[in-house]
Amino acid sequence: MADADNSGRQEPGSGPAAGGRPRRPRESGGGILMGRPFGVPVYVAPSWFVVAALITWVFGGQLERVLPELGGARYLVSLFFAVAFYASVLVHELAHTVAALRFRLPVRRIQLQFFGGVSEIEKETETPGREFVLAFVGPLLSLVLSGLFYLALFAVEPGTVPAVLLAGLMVSNLIVAAFNLLPGLPLDGGRMLRAVIWKLSGRPMAGTVAAAWTGRALAIAVLVGMPLLSYAGGYTGEGFGSSDSLIDALLAAILAAIIWTGAGNSLRMARLRERLPELSARALTRRAVPVASDTPLSEALRRANEAGARALVVVDGQGDPVAIVRESAIAGVPGHRRPWVAVSTLAQDITEGMRVWAGLAGEELLDHLRAAPATEYLVVEENDEVYGVLSAGDVERAFVAAMAKPTPS
């Protein structure tokens, strides 16, 4: 019902944006902002209100049997239970968040939503041990909460509203912990299984494939097993056509779809992350020729063609790069005007963010480009020697090609 998500990154914002440069998705789609514990925004998705209403209705029906004297007030008590339950889910997610921050992994946000919550962790853990810990702390906190609610039961009178609420929270947190420990992605137990297989095989992708397929098997088991268990545990002679059985089947189908989709996304994102190192600044950089600011565009292009270069860098009198001639600006100058147009009029001054180290690759490269959006970047070696020019369009095309490659099914 609640899980930490660090699979993501096309979801995590490493995808290409319009204009040919990777960017982050907007945060505005997260729902209602409730606060920023540990500096991480917590959102409540609109789907939460649907679940809160459902919990209020179901728990209210149970209260009518246990505490009939409450009357209509039972729905206020049920609403309080729904909010308290999701507060427990938030504690579960905060456990993931604190562990991620402890491992210096950035967390974009926490979102409370249909069937639980998610902590959006932007990077993969570096070791299987950290992956295991990061996944396990959530269910562990849910177990601790369940134990605390159990101990609190001894301090209240049986058969009262506080006793019923504490018992409900004890059982619900126990269910959250047990469900999340199931060994299939995208659940925490699936990430723990991934960590174990990663440790044994030495290959994180092997762990992801095994845990994702286990997650798909789990989705099928939920789809078929939940209605059967519900029917067997509460048989009234009404059969599978009753309203309760139909609701159980609908909830099972929704939950199974969430698990199946999450497992598939984990596979796709893991494959993408495995290919991200292919996005290397050195490999994607275009060779560039230096030209003075007053050089006619036609002459600059002639020199580039002779050198087999595809980019132009404007240099000052000492030969230091000061600007990059924009490819789009070159394309906009008709051939007959190029002898009369100086390259300086088509160049963009080089800012600090536009200087990219040639050794950057994968997520580090994408993070740098996100932080300093531009159409071209000057690629330099560690000694500040110019290596060439990196086009954001080339990075976008390489990213799309990586996404288009077939993934494990």
Side-chain angles (χ1 to χ4, degrees):
M1 296 177 73
D3 66 315
D5 175 18
N6 67 341
S7 62
R9 282 20 5 167
Q10 171 84 332
E11 174 255 64
S14 59
R21 52 183 183 271
R23 65 172 171 119
R24 293 182 186 276
R26 293 173 296 177
E27 297 284 355
S28 58
I32 302 173
L33 178 63
M34 303 301 293
R36 294 179 178 271
F38 306 103
V40 177
V42 175
Y43 292 92
V44 174
S47 60
W48 177 86
F49 295 95
V50 177
V51 180
L54 180 61
I55 292 175
T56 301
W57 174 52
V58 172
F59 196 70
Q62 295 175 346
L63 284 176
E64 186 177 17
R65 293 190 293 271
V66 178
L67 298 172
E69 65 273 14
L70 286 177
R74 68 182 183 273
Y75 290 109
L76 289 177
V77 177
S78 299
L79 179 59
F80 178 84
F81 170 78
V83 174
F85 168 67
Y86 267 85
S88 300
V89 172
L90 176 58
V91 171
H92 176 115
E93 296 305 326
L94 284 174
H96 291 305
T97 295
V98 171
L101 296 176
R102 175 67 179 81
F103 294 146
R104 301 186 183 279
L105 301 174
V107 182
R108 179 183 305 146
R109 65 181 178 181
I110 296 173
Q111 187 183 55
L112 301 181
Q113 53 185 230
F114 199 83
F115 278 121
V118 59
S119 302
E120 297 185 8
I121 302 170
E122 296 197 11
K123 292 182 180 295
E124 287 281 359
T125 52
E126 297 176 353
T127 66
R130 290 187 173 186
E131 172 81 357
F132 189 93
V133 171
L134 186 58
F136 180 62
V137 290
L140 177 61
L141 258 290
S142 294
L143 287 173
V144 169
L145 286 176
S146 182
L148 291 176
F149 288 129
Y150 172 74
L151 293 176
L153 280 171
F154 292 100
V156 299
E157 184 180 349
T160 62
V161 170
V164 173
L165 285 174
L166 288 171
L169 290 170
M170 177 194 71
V171 172
S172 60
N173 275 277
L174 188 60
I175 292 173
V176 167
F179 184 76
N180 273 279
L181 287 173
L182 293 175
L185 286 172
L187 302 175
D188 294 325
R191 297 184 57 213
M192 293 163 63
L193 175 63
R194 174 183 182 268
V196 171
I197 297 177
W198 176 4
K199 178 67 175 179
L200 294 176
S201 67
R203 295 177 54 242
M205 190 62 196
T208 300
V209 171
W213 274 104
T214 305
R216 286 175 168 176
L218 179 62
I220 296 173
V222 167
L223 179 64
V224 177
M226 275 186 61
L228 289 176
L229 288 174
S230 177
Y231 177 73
Y235 180 72
T236 62
E238 295 179 352
F240 282 101
S242 68
S243 60
D244 287 345
S245 65
L246 290 176
I247 291 175
D248 291 339
L250 176 60
L251 291 177
I254 294 173
L255 187 54
I258 291 173
I259 297 173
W260 182 278
T261 302
N265 287 340
S266 296
L267 276 176
R268 284 189 290 273
M269 290 302 104
R271 177 60 69 188
L272 174 60
R273 296 179 72 87
E274 191 176 56
R275 293 171 180 154
L276 275 182
E278 298 176 14
L279 300 181
S280 163
R282 193 179 300 277
L284 295 173
T285 293
R286 301 178 177 185
R287 184 178 178 184
V289 295
V291 291
S293 60
D294 59 352
T295 305
L297 178 59
S298 59
E299 173 61 18
L301 292 177
R302 185 190 66 79
R303 296 180 191 176
N305 289 333
E306 286 184 351
R310 298 176 57 204
L312 301 172
V313 175
V314 179
V315 296
D316 60 17
Q318 288 72 44
D320 296 325
V322 295
I324 299 174
V325 181
R326 293 175 291 121
E327 182 181 21
S328 58
I330 295 175
V333 179
H336 68 276
R337 294 193 60 239
R338 290 180 176 180
W340 317 106
V341 176
V343 292
S344 59
T345 62
L346 309 175
Q348 180 178 7
D349 291 342
I350 298 172
T351 62
E352 184 58 33
M354 291 172 61
R355 300 176 72 90
V356 175
W357 176 47
L360 286 184
E363 287 188 87
E364 290 184 344
L365 174 61
L366 293 176
D367 287 342
H368 185 101
L369 302 192
R370 290 193 206 106
T375 55
E376 285 93 10
Y377 299 83
L378 183 72
V379 181
V380 297
E381 298 285 7
E382 287 186 335
N383 60 0
D384 280 341
E385 180 182 348
V386 175
Y387 183 78
V389 170
L390 176 65
S391 166
D394 290 344
V395 177
E396 179 184 27
R397 284 184 285 273
F399 187 96
V400 171
M403 287 288 291
K405 291 182 180 179
T407 61
S409 58

